[in-house]
Amino acid sequence: MSRFTLREFDIVIAGGRLGGLFAAAIIGASGYRVLCCDSKQLPVTTNGRSSDGRTTALFLPAVDALRDVGVWDQIEPFSEPLEVMRIIDAGDGTPQSRRIRDFDPTSISESCFGWCIPNSVLMSRLSQKINHLPNVEILTGIGVSSVLTRTDEVRIRLSDGTRVRTKLLVAADGRESSIRTAVGLRCRTFRFSQKALTFNLFHTRPHCGVSTEIYRSGGTFTSVPVPDEDGNHASAIVWMERAAEIAALKRLPASEFESRVRYRSLGLLGDVRLASDRNEWSVVAQIAERFFAERTAIIAEAAHVLPPIGAQGFNMTIGDILGLHKIICEVPEDLGNSKGLLRYHRARYPEAAARLVGIGGLSFVSMARDPVLTSLRRLGLSIAGDIEPLRRILMRGALGQRAA
C-alpha cells in the first residue's frame, strides 16, 4: 500500500487479534472492502501452537459463525468439546468439595456448550481465510496513528504514513483502545484486588469433556479441557487469586508450582505437569460509556472487559460482531450511519452491562473470606443447580440464547 495514495475501504477494523480477525472474516465474506490493521506482528507459532498455550472457549453462536464463513472444518480437529460445566465450592481454609453442581447442555437440547480451541489455531485459520478474500487486506506491524471523523466518512492516517478513507471504523484494539480515546469515548473501570494466571497442564486423569470452576476464598480456579497432546491429557487453566499471591505463584520453580496446582485443583486432574508458559494479567471489569461514536463502532475489549469467569469475554465479542454485521448488511448503501450505530449500541450495551454486573459480582464473591458471604456463595450454587427452570435459564443465558 503506497503511503502517497488515498486508499478507500468500506470498513476499517483497528485491531488484528482474535476479535479483529473474526470481524474481518465475517464482514469480508459479505463482500465489503475491508482493511484490518494491527500495530503488532502476529505471534509466531510452532505446529499450530504458540508457546503461551492460550486458548478460547467458543460457544455455539461463535461456532455457527465459523461454519458460515467456511473455516470451522479446519478448526474442529484442534478443538475439544465442552460437554459439562461443573461448579465446585471449596470454601475457605483447606480446600475441599463442599458443593458440586453439574450443568449438562442436553437438558436444553444441545450436545455440548461449545469447544475449546488454541488461540494460535483460531488466528492462523482466520488469517488463511482472509487471505483468500480478494476484498480484504490485513496489515500487521502497522496501526492507526490518527482519526478524523466526519458526518459522511472517516479519514485515517496509519503509522506508516498511509492515508485511508472509510465509511465505518471498527475499534477492536483492546482494553486500552486508542481509537476509543481518539473519538472521545470514556469508559468505567472497576478494579479487583486480583490477578489471573493462565497456563496449560498435562495431567494423569482424563477430563472427560468437563470444564470445572472451583470457587474458594481468593478467587476461582478454572480448568478447561483441550485436546490430548502426544498421549497426554491436557487442560487450560485460569487461576484467579489476590495479586500478591499470583506474583508469588509465578516465581515458584515448576515442580513446586505443580504441587500447588494439584492442591488447588483438589486433585481432580491427578498428577500434573506444566505444559506452557505462565502468564498473568490484572482482573478488571470495564465498559465504554457508549459502543459507538461518529462513524465508529466499538467492539470486543475496546467496549467491554469481564473477569475470566464462565468463558463470557470472547463470546460477548462474537455477539458484538454478529450484531454489527447484521445491521450493516441491512443498509449496505449507508455504512456507519448514525441510526444503524445507535441500534447496535442499544442491542449490545444492555447485555454487556448486565453481564458486567453479574460476572463482576461473582468475581467479588469468589474472593470473599467473610463467613456470611461464603455461606451465601454455597447457597447460591445450590439454588442455581437444584431448581431446574433456573438451571435452564442460566445455561441459555451463558450461551447467549433467549430463555425458552
Side-chain angles (χ1 to χ4, degrees), residues 154-212:
V154 184
R155 293 289 183 106
I156 297 167
R157 185 177 292 275
L158 302 182
S159 57
D160 68 346
T162 302
R163 295 176 300 138
V164 177
R165 181 165 63 189
T166 186
K167 291 293 186 181
L168 174 63
L169 173 61
V170 177
D173 55 339
R175 61 181 67 185
E176 303 297 333
S177 170
S178 62
I179 302 299
R180 185 184 63 219
T181 301
V183 297
L185 292 177
R186 298 186 298 269
C187 70
R188 298 186 64 189
T189 301
F190 306 88
R191 301 189 181 279
F192 303 83
S193 300
Q194 283 178 309
K195 285 193 172 183
L197 196 64
T198 63
F199 51 94
N200 280 14
L201 288 178
F202 293 138
H203 44 88
T204 57
R205 292 181 181 173
H207 48 60
C208 300
V210 178
S211 178
T212 304

Side-chain angles (χ1 to χ4, degrees), residues 36-62:
C36 178
C37 61
D38 195 289
S39 59
K40 297 181 180 178
Q41 297 288 344
L42 292 178
V44 176
T45 64
T46 303
N47 297 324
R49 297 179 184 275
S50 59
S51 62
D52 65 12
R54 292 181 66 179
T55 61
T56 295
L58 295 183
F59 291 156
L60 298 178

Side-chain angles (χ1 to χ4, degrees), residues 225-287:
V226 300
D228 292 352
E229 186 176 344
D230 299 327
N232 296 295
H233 303 305
S235 292
I237 308 298
V238 180
W239 187 350
M240 291 169 60
E241 257 292 356
R242 296 176 187 276
E245 177 68 11
I246 289 294
L249 287 168
K250 192 175 181 183
R251 290 194 300 267
L252 290 176
S255 59
E256 189 174 347
F257 179 75
E258 290 161 357
S259 177
R260 293 286 297 274
V261 169
R262 191 179 192 285
Y263 179 77
R264 183 62 177 84
S265 64
L266 310 179
L268 296 174
L269 300 173
D271 290 331
V272 301
R273 178 162 54 93
L274 194 61
S276 74
D277 297 337
R278 286 169 273 182
N279 295 280
E280 67 173 286
W281 75 85
S282 297
V283 175
V284 302
Q286 182 172 290
I287 190 165

Side-chain angles (χ1 to χ4, degrees), residues 79-94:
S79 69
E80 186 70 19
L82 307 177
E83 298 178 357
V84 173
M85 296 288 190
R86 177 170 294 158
I87 300 179
I88 300 174
D89 185 273
D92 202 355
T94 302

Side-chain angles (χ1 to χ4, degrees), residues 117-149:
I117 305 161
N119 284 8
S120 54
V121 171
L122 276 173
M123 294 184 71
S124 66
R125 299 310 183 269
L126 287 168
S127 295
Q128 290 170 15
K129 172 64 179 179
I130 292 168
N131 288 335
H132 286 89
L133 294 173
N135 52 305
V136 180
E137 293 185 33
I138 301 180
L139 296 176
T140 58
I142 299 174
V144 173
S145 61
S146 67
V147 174
L148 175 63
T149 64

Side-chain angles (χ1 to χ4, degrees), residues 285-352:
Q286 182 172 290
I287 190 165
E289 62 177 329
R290 293 195 319 274
F291 288 2
F292 77 103
E294 186 177 56
R295 292 281 164 182
T296 306
I298 314 295
I299 70 169
E301 287 199 341
H304 45 71
V305 179
L306 300 177
I309 294 177
Q312 294 298 302
F314 189 68
N315 289 282
M316 283 288 296
T317 293
I318 297 302
D320 297 342
I321 295 167
L322 296 180
L324 180 62
H325 181 239
K326 177 182 177 181
I327 288 170
I328 64 178
C329 285
E330 289 176 354
V331 192
E333 69 278 3
D334 191 14
L335 295 174
N337 70 85
S338 58
K339 289 183 179 179
L341 291 176
L342 179 58
R343 283 178 56 209
Y344 163 71
H345 168 77
R346 288 175 172 171
R348 297 303 302 156
Y349 186 90
E351 179 182 344

